[in-house]
Amino acid sequence: MVLSRSKSSGSSSSFGSTGTKILGGVQVSLTLLEKSVDGTSIPFVKGVAGAALEVIKIAKSIQSNREECDNLAERSTSLLIVILGSLTGKMEDAIPDHLRRGVERLTVNFHEVLAGLRTIDNRAQGWRAVLYYLDNGERLKDFSAKLQWAMEEFQVTSKVDSCLKDLERHEELSRRLDKIQESQQEVLKGQATLEEGIKKSQKEVQDGLLAIKEQSTSQAISNIPSTVMPPNPKIFGRQEYIEKAVKLLHSTIGAKIAILGPGGMGKTSVALGIIYDALVVDRFGDNRCWIPCEQATSVPLFVELVAKSLKLPSSSSNDRLADVIEFLKCSKILYILLFDNFETPWDIEGQQSNVAEVLATIASIPSVSFIITMRGNKHPSSNTIEWTEPRLPSLSQLDLDAAEAAFVKISPNAKGDPELRTLLQTLDCMPLAITLMAKLSEDGETVGDLLEQWRSERTRLLDQPGGDRRNSIEVSIKLSLESRSVKGNPDALRLLSVLAMLPAGAALSRLPDMCPSIPGWKAALRVLRGAALLYDSADTSRVHMLSPIQSYILLHYPLGQELMNDLRASYYKLAPEDKTGPQHPEFKDIAKELSTEEPNMEAILANALHDRDGDRAEAINVSLYYSVYLFYQQPRTEIIVEAVQVAKETNSPVLAYCLKWHAGLLRQQGKVDESESLFVEARDEFTKLGDEGQAADCNGLLGNLLTMRGHYDEARALLHDAADTLLAVGHAENAAWRRRDIGLTFYYQKEYKSACSNYEQARSEFVRAENRLGSLRCLSSLGAALQMQGEYDAARSALEEARLGLLECGDLSDLAYCLSYLGHTFKQIGDYSMSVAKFEEALAAFTQIGDLPMIEESKGEIDKVRRLLAAG
């Protein structure tokens, strides 16, 4: 054999000329590696392998600095084994983009190391070897360190043994093929001899594989320990679910129940909670059997686990299932079997029908009830097993109160922490994530620190080296991704990577536009739903992904450039240029769709703004259009802040506009001082660009801020100057806006006639310019001024007309104020019922846009008018 397990210490003397060692002291033949390289047809794999082999050969040939050379050769060999073992037999287009990029980066590293090694090799001859000994040693250590990221990225330490076995099997098969080919050469000596030789070789291979399989299964069966029911767990938020299951078991002889859902939802805990329920204990007594199916990697193992759980004695019977069935039929007492983690035997390649037959045979015994826990949302064997109705729904995340109780049970010191609920919501109240996070808190981490660590480390924070599905969130998610159905659909992971970019989930109606490069998205969606990697919204119009799963996908399966471009293009359409303000007739429809996509839009834009390989100029522009929409709906600044930063980095020509809209959003939030400094900065940028009109408009907006501070005379002077300049440069519409703002200064000074005069003048200018939004805003302001003058009929008429128009336009901010003015008008004329109704509509609108002062004012007015209504 060219592969041998060596127990030597790993000193340099144990490295022969034909082999090198890998982690764990395994001697590996370079011939084996070269043959494995020859066996792959993927160009970039050949590239990294060729460079690695050169590094190994030169490192072995250098006579000095042997310890450092051996270490470098060992790392290079280990990396090469894991890459070849992971990728051998795969088609190039089936290799994930992140893995391809990792291999390409490693190729560059190997070439850098190779160049350095050649220099060291030249200097390691004769007297120069002594002269350069220390320098060569340091450089060799640096070369090993250069490969450290790859050792971690490709998980070399945990994978090298299994990958080596894969290569070993490939080599053995290759040797057997060589023998067959040698036999084929004998065809010249006689066809009969050749056929006999081939048949003999094939039979030897088959007999050998069968013997190995039987020996492995036999050994595994003999090693199965007696199963002991786990203790009754403490369960939060699942009592109603458990009660439904118990009711089914208590009312049905031979009940068949499936507890389904994503990994990490606590299916095993819920099943144990059912098994330990007093009614179940009373009904089944000691005949409650737990079968840990994660050990069932073959059908015989699965059957033997059932036998062990029933405490059947060992048997030499060739039909262990018959032993199980005979025992259950003859016992004449009620049994309940818990098949825990049933997905393991169900996903055995090529054996699903056999596993289904075993389950159906057990299900046919009337005295046997059973529960299965299984990842996914689909009941197994629905055509052969009559599952008890009504079927239990798939387990979903905990409610917030139950999640908090579960966390505090593990980590009492977190009780009352103001950030705890935020942390739990960030984890989507997933039970496994809560448990692992609570244990970190129990070890002394504060909730605030854990929240920050999660935002930076994501699922890596909840991963444990050598962990399993019960104590590692990454292992749990990985098991779902490796299910037979997901691995069998090449589009499933691609679609999952797309959907991971969308924190608010994806509207099903938008998927065709988002995924034009995934023609099989419908089939992939069915697979992902079935594997419980996605779940539907209550109205089934959207699909969502749990936050820990989303974080894992973003970390380990980043979206490729083609799919990313498709996704961005789809979302950019939602914020088209010049259509994201109420003045455009399509704005209401645009706002309606955007309102459900805001978290997704902001995630897409944030990603695009910081993607140095993408079109950042387009991302800045769309961020600007989207911020205009936010100005009229819910003034938030997160995206425009990032757009301003990137615009400054890239010297964007739209920086001034970004600054202006950022200032406007801050003004809407009532942050006058911050808004002022940005309007000044925007004005200066426009002045540099030679845009007098926009610079003057910024001055006018600075006048608005003076109005908000109560400096009305100064504000009017600035607004008049701005309006005059705007008219002079042909910006009549902007001048009309400033005229309306002048009316506002008179309104606040209670000079209502002057206010009305300016509102009417501004409205006429808007009508001439065919700017309906400007006209409606002036009409609303005019109605407010008329109401203050006591002209209630005229005020109500103006405000009703403005309300209808603003509602049609979708200008939520001005609509809210218009409704408030109407509430005051009806209050003044004594129509308290209508007044309350309008204030309530105003409250709803102010709540939607997040205007806290006006929310409180509206609530106060509603209380006042209701008291008047009660007194009248």
Side-chain angles (χ1 to χ4, degrees):
M1 289 288 289
V2 292
L3 288 164
S4 61
R5 302 278 167 176
S6 172
K7 295 183 179 179
S8 61
S9 63
S11 63
S12 60
S13 61
S14 65
F15 286 80
S17 61
T18 61
T20 188
K21 288 188 176 181
I22 62 168
L23 303 175
V26 180
Q27 188 86 5
V28 183
S29 164
L30 291 180
T31 305
L32 167 64
L33 296 178
E34 288 169 341
K35 284 184 177 180
S36 299
V37 173
D38 291 339
T40 181
S41 60
I42 303 173
F44 68 87
V45 176
K46 278 186 174 291
V48 73
L53 282 171
E54 279 297 304
V55 168
I56 295 166
K57 290 175 182 177
I58 295 179
K60 288 170 54 56
S61 70
I62 296 173
Q63 297 303 310
S64 64
N65 304 95
R66 287 308 314 153
E67 183 176 351
E68 292 86 354
C69 286
D70 291 344
N71 184 39
L72 178 60
E74 180 180 353
R75 288 194 173 208
S76 302
T77 305
S78 301
L79 279 164
L80 186 53
I81 287 171
V82 170
I83 290 170
L84 291 173
S86 300
L87 301 182
T88 296
K90 289 190 176 180
M91 299 298 290
E92 184 173 359
D93 58 3
I95 296 175
D97 289 345
H98 76 282
L99 189 55
R100 181 195 297 265
R101 289 195 296 271
V103 171
E104 290 171 349
R105 178 183 171 191
L106 181 58
T107 305
V108 173
N109 286 161
F110 271 134
H111 280 294
E112 292 171 350
V113 170
L114 192 55
L117 276 178
R118 286 172 177 149
T119 300
I120 290 174
D121 192 26
N122 290 333
R123 299 193 316 191
Q125 307 297 326
W127 61 270
R128 283 183 291 183
V130 177
L131 179 64
Y132 288 107
Y133 182 86
L134 292 178
D135 182 62
N136 288 346
E138 289 303 313
R139 294 191 67 182
L140 286 164
K141 288 178 183 177
D142 289 343
F143 295 157
S144 292
K146 189 182 285 287
L147 301 180
Q148 181 61 35
W149 72 269
M151 299 286 287
E152 297 170 0
E153 178 77 14
F154 293 104
Q155 302 174 18
V156 168
T157 303
S158 63
K159 288 184 176 180
V160 68
D161 279 343
S162 63
C163 289
L164 182 56
K165 288 176 183 176
D166 288 341
L167 293 180
E168 197 171 6
R169 283 194 292 270
H170 279 293
E171 190 220 10
E172 182 64 22
L173 288 173
S174 176
R175 288 176 59 190
R176 294 194 178 203
L177 282 172
D178 289 343
K179 286 184 178 180
I180 293 172
Q181 289 169 355
E182 289 172 8
S183 298
Q184 288 174 333
Q185 298 301 318
E186 299 296 322
V187 72
L188 298 175
K189 300 177 182 179
Q191 187 68 30
T193 304
L194 174 63
E195 290 177 359
E196 184 180 349
I198 291 174
K199 287 178 182 178
K200 184 177 179 181
S201 296
Q202 289 175 334
K203 189 174 186 308
E204 286 176 358
V205 172
Q206 292 170 353
D207 290 346
L209 289 173
L210 184 61
I212 292 170
K213 184 176 181 181
E214 289 176 351
Q215 182 181 1
S216 175
T217 300
S218 176
Q219 185 177 2
I221 288 174
S222 64
N223 289 335
I224 293 176
S226 298
T227 58
V228 179
M229 185 85 72
N232 189 8
K234 182 68 176 175
I235 300 172
F236 297 89
R238 305 294 197 196
Q239 195 55 44
E240 184 178 347
Y241 193 98
I242 290 172
E243 287 172 0
K244 287 180 180 178
V246 169
K247 185 177 179 181
L248 292 174
L249 289 169
H250 205 257
S251 62
T252 309
I253 298 294
K256 281 64 177 184
I257 296 173
I259 300 174
L260 307 174
M265 277 298 153
K267 296 182 290 296
T268 297
S269 294
V270 169
L272 289 171
I274 296 167
I275 289 289
Y276 278 104
D277 184 89
L279 289 174
V280 176
V281 173
D282 183 61
R283 186 176 182 83
F284 296 97
D286 292 334
N287 304 315
R288 296 166 295 129
C289 304
W290 173 65
I291 303 158
C293 295
E294 63 184 299
Q295 301 176 36
T297 54
S298 70
V299 178
L301 272 173
F302 175 49
V303 175
E304 187 61 31
L305 280 165
V306 178
K308 288 280 189 181
S309 73
L310 294 169
K311 298 182 171 58
L312 297 187
S314 299
S315 170
S316 58
S317 169
N318 290 328
D319 193 347
R320 194 61 164 151
L321 179 58
D323 296 342
V324 169
I325 300 305
E326 182 181 3
F327 172 81
L328 289 171
K329 283 183 176 180
C330 294
S331 63
K332 296 182 180 180
I333 55 176
L334 297 179
Y335 269 89
I336 181 167
L337 310 181
L338 169 52
F339 295 100
D340 195 18
N341 295 308
F342 184 70
E343 68 275 359
T344 301
W346 189 250
D347 274 345
I348 298 172
E349 188 171 355
Q351 295 296 314
Q352 192 170 97
S353 60
N354 293 328
V355 174
E357 184 180 350
V358 171
L359 193 64
T361 304
I362 295 173
S364 68
I365 304 172
S367 60
V368 176
S369 296
F370 65 69
I371 301 171
I372 71 162
T373 70
M374 183 174 179
R375 288 167 184 259
N377 290 322
K378 295 176 66 176
H379 285 68
S381 298
S382 289
N383 57 334
T384 57
I385 294 176
E386 190 174 341
W387 295 96
T388 303
E389 301 288 347
R391 299 184 184 187
L392 296 175
S394 295
L395 276 182
S396 58
Q397 56 264 57
L398 297 173
D399 64 52
L400 196 53
D401 289 339
E404 184 173 15
F407 193 102
V408 170
K409 179 67 178 177
I410 298 170
S411 179
N413 59 301
K415 187 174 183 179
D417 192 299
E419 292 188 282
L420 177 55
R421 290 202 159 213
T422 301
L423 175 63
L424 297 171
Q425 288 171 324
T426 302
L427 298 173
D428 259 347
C429 295
M430 185 182 191
L432 177 59
I434 292 168
T435 298
L436 298 177
M437 194 70 84
K439 287 179 179 177
L440 292 177
S441 174
E442 185 185 26
D443 290 340
E445 298 276 6
T446 68
V447 171
D449 287 343
L450 290 173
L451 189 57
E452 286 303 312
Q453 289 178 58
W454 172 261
R455 287 169 178 161
S456 61
E457 298 180 45
R458 298 293 180 181
T459 51
R460 285 176 178 163
L461 178 61
L462 304 182
D463 188 31
Q464 294 188 15
D468 59 23
R469 70 179 81 200
R470 291 176 294 274
N471 56 27
S472 169
I473 198 76
E474 293 217 336
V475 171
S476 178
I477 295 169
K478 187 179 178 183
L479 284 171
S480 294
L481 295 175
E482 291 179 346
S483 67
R484 194 160 57 91
S485 58
V486 175
K487 290 173 71 176
N489 187 304
D491 289 330
L493 268 177
R494 299 178 73 216
L495 180 60
L496 205 59
S497 294
V498 172
L499 299 180
M501 293 293 299
L502 308 175
L508 295 177
S509 59
R510 300 199 69 249
L511 280 177
D513 189 57
M514 287 192 284
C515 307
S517 301
I518 308 179
W521 66 267
K522 287 185 178 179
L525 187 64
R526 285 194 295 272
V527 166
L528 295 172
R529 279 171 165 158
L533 289 163
L534 299 175
Y535 65 94
D536 289 309
S537 60
D539 62 1
T540 70
S541 65
R542 302 179 77 86
V543 286
H544 297 267
M545 189 182 309
L546 291 170
S547 172
I549 298 175
Q550 180 192 28
S551 297
Y552 181 88
I553 298 299
L554 289 173
L555 195 62
H556 296 283
Y557 297 92
L559 199 56
Q561 198 62 51
E562 180 186 17
L563 292 174
M564 180 67 82
N565 290 340
D566 289 342
L567 185 61
R568 287 174 183 166
S570 176
Y571 271 87
Y572 287 177
K573 293 175 188 175
L574 299 182
E577 184 178 5
D578 296 332
K579 293 184 181 180
T580 50
Q583 67 275 13
H584 196 279
E586 296 178 30
F587 175 71
K588 190 173 182 181
D589 292 335
I590 290 170
K592 183 179 179 181
E593 186 165 17
L594 263 178
S595 66
T596 62
E597 296 291 342
E598 287 177 12
N600 293 343
M601 187 68 162
E602 290 170 23
I604 297 293
L605 287 172
N607 176 276
L609 285 168
H610 296 286
D611 181 2
R612 296 185 179 277
D613 296 325
D615 189 343
R616 300 175 88 190
E618 185 180 20
I620 294 170
N621 286 335
V622 178
S623 298
L624 186 56
Y625 310 148
Y626 176 68
S627 296
V628 175
Y629 153 80
L630 289 177
F631 179 87
Y632 294 107
Q633 296 293 304
Q634 294 186 349
R636 295 194 306 276
T637 59
E638 291 83 0
I639 286 299
I640 198 65
V641 166
E642 293 194 52
V644 167
Q645 176 188 338
V646 177
K648 288 180 177 179
E649 289 176 12
T650 58
N651 296 316
S652 169
V654 298
L655 170 60
Y657 288 95
C658 292
L659 290 166
K660 182 182 177 184
W661 281 102
H662 185 190
L665 287 164
L666 289 170
R667 187 192 67 185
Q668 290 288 82
Q669 294 177 345
K671 298 177 180 178
V672 177
D673 292 340
E674 295 174 59
S675 177
E676 180 180 31
S677 65
L678 283 171
F679 274 133
V680 169
E681 189 177 353
R683 180 194 63 193
D684 294 344
E685 285 294 325
F686 281 123
T687 301
K688 290 178 189 175
L689 295 171
D691 192 332
E692 293 182 58
Q694 286 293 340
D697 201 46
C698 287
N699 273 332
L701 294 166
L702 286 166
N704 279 342
L705 298 182
L706 289 171
T707 301
M708 294 174 72
R709 290 191 172 111
H711 304 310
Y712 304 117
D713 293 336
E714 295 174 53
R716 265 198 298 277
L718 202 54
L719 288 164
H720 274 298
D721 287 344
D724 291 343
T725 302
L726 287 164
L727 281 172
V729 297
H731 288 202
E733 286 186 50
N734 282 356
W737 285 114
R738 303 294 75 83
R739 177 68 63 188
R740 173 181 175 265
D741 294 339
I742 291 168
L744 193 62
T745 64
F746 285 115
Y747 179 88
Y748 284 129
Q749 287 184 300
K750 301 182 181 179
E751 297 180 27
Y752 300 120
K753 286 187 178 180
S754 296
C756 288
S757 174
N758 278 278
Y759 291 148
E760 287 172 342
Q761 183 180 344
R763 187 180 177 215
S764 297
E765 292 170 5
F766 281 125
V767 170
R768 279 197 299 273
E770 298 183 349
N771 186 324
R772 189 181 180 215
L773 177 63
S775 172
L776 288 168
R777 286 188 173 183
C778 288
L779 187 60
S780 178
S781 298
L782 179 62
L786 290 170
Q787 182 258 326
M788 296 302 293
Q789 291 184 109
E791 299 179 39
Y792 301 122
D793 289 340
R796 185 173 62 180
S797 176
L799 290 168
E800 278 293 349
E801 183 183 345
R803 180 186 70 83
L804 292 171
L806 291 167
L807 185 63
E808 187 178 337
C809 287
D811 185 353
L812 195 59
S813 177
D814 277 86
L815 174 63
Y817 281 96
C818 183
L819 288 165
S820 182
Y821 299 149
L822 271 170
H824 284 290
T825 302
F826 282 115
K827 176 183 172 183
Q828 292 298 324
I829 63 178
D831 191 342
Y832 300 134
S833 295
M834 283 297 293
S835 178
V836 168
K838 294 306 172 187
F839 277 128
E840 285 178 340
E841 290 180 48
L843 175 60
F846 284 126
T847 300
Q848 190 171 341
I849 63 176
D851 191 330
L852 296 179
M854 290 307 297
I855 289 171
E856 294 306 313
E857 182 178 315
S858 299
K859 288 178 179 177
E861 289 296 335
I862 290 170
D863 289 341
K864 289 177 187 176
V865 180
R866 279 180 175 162
R867 285 196 294 271
L868 291 171
L869 191 60

